[in-house]
Amino acid sequence: QVQIVESGGGLVQPGGSLRLSCAASGFTADGYAIGWFRQAPGKEREGVSCISVPDGTTHYADSVKGRFTISRDNHNNTVYLQMNSLKPEDTAVYYCATPVTLVGGTLFGPHEGLGSWGQGIQVTVSS
């Protein structure tokens, strides 16, 4: 059974930084992409970023481009999301998932039973 565990969330002031980690176990993600999603209160879940495990190709939502950086450590099956210049509108529960697909610039997570989602981790940006 694939397990995904997120860590690194918390409370940060506007303009600050956080690094989220997504540790995957129980499988090897070779050939797949791993992605980050977020859901703010009262809003739908949105794709934030993804990275291809084999070749490191990345994608970012327009709302985070230039501020967030996704990276991977294939040896440890871990994906990181470095979040800089955080804004209050980045406040959300962040989820890691795999496999993910990118269609027309929109990031989609796995359907139930066809992949794995983490439990989610809270990121709050507030002064």
Side-chain angles (χ1 to χ4, degrees):
Q1 179 68 29
V2 176
Q3 289 190 332
I4 291 180
V5 178
E6 302 106 334
S7 61
L11 172 65
V12 64
Q13 292 186 343
S17 299
L18 283 174
R19 188 177 80 155
L20 303 183
S21 298
C22 170
S25 62
F27 81 113
T28 56
D30 293 351
Y32 293 103
I34 297 177
W36 286 96
F37 299 78
R38 66 187 182 185
Q39 187 165 19
K43 294 187 177 181
E44 293 187 356
R45 185 172 59 199
E46 65 169 339
V48 174
S49 181
C50 69
I51 187 167
S52 167
V53 172
D55 62 17
T57 303
T58 60
H59 165 80
Y60 298 93
D62 288 342
S63 58
V64 306
K65 203 170 293 184
R67 300 187 298 122
F68 289 12
T69 302
I70 192 169
S71 62
R72 76 201 194 287
D73 179 348
N74 288 356
H75 179 70
N76 292 312
N77 265 4
T78 302
V79 169
Y80 303 98
L81 186 68
Q82 178 67 42
M83 306 186 295
N84 298 328
S85 301
L86 282 162
K87 305 175 181 180
E89 50 264 43
D90 294 317
T91 296
V93 177
Y94 284 69
Y95 299 90
C96 182
T98 190
V100 301
T101 54
L102 192 61
V103 180
T106 300
L107 188 62
F108 294 92
H111 292 293
E112 186 174 354
L114 298 180
S116 295
W117 290 85
Q119 79 286 357
I121 190 164
Q122 179 69 45
V123 171
T124 303
V125 184
S126 175
S127 55

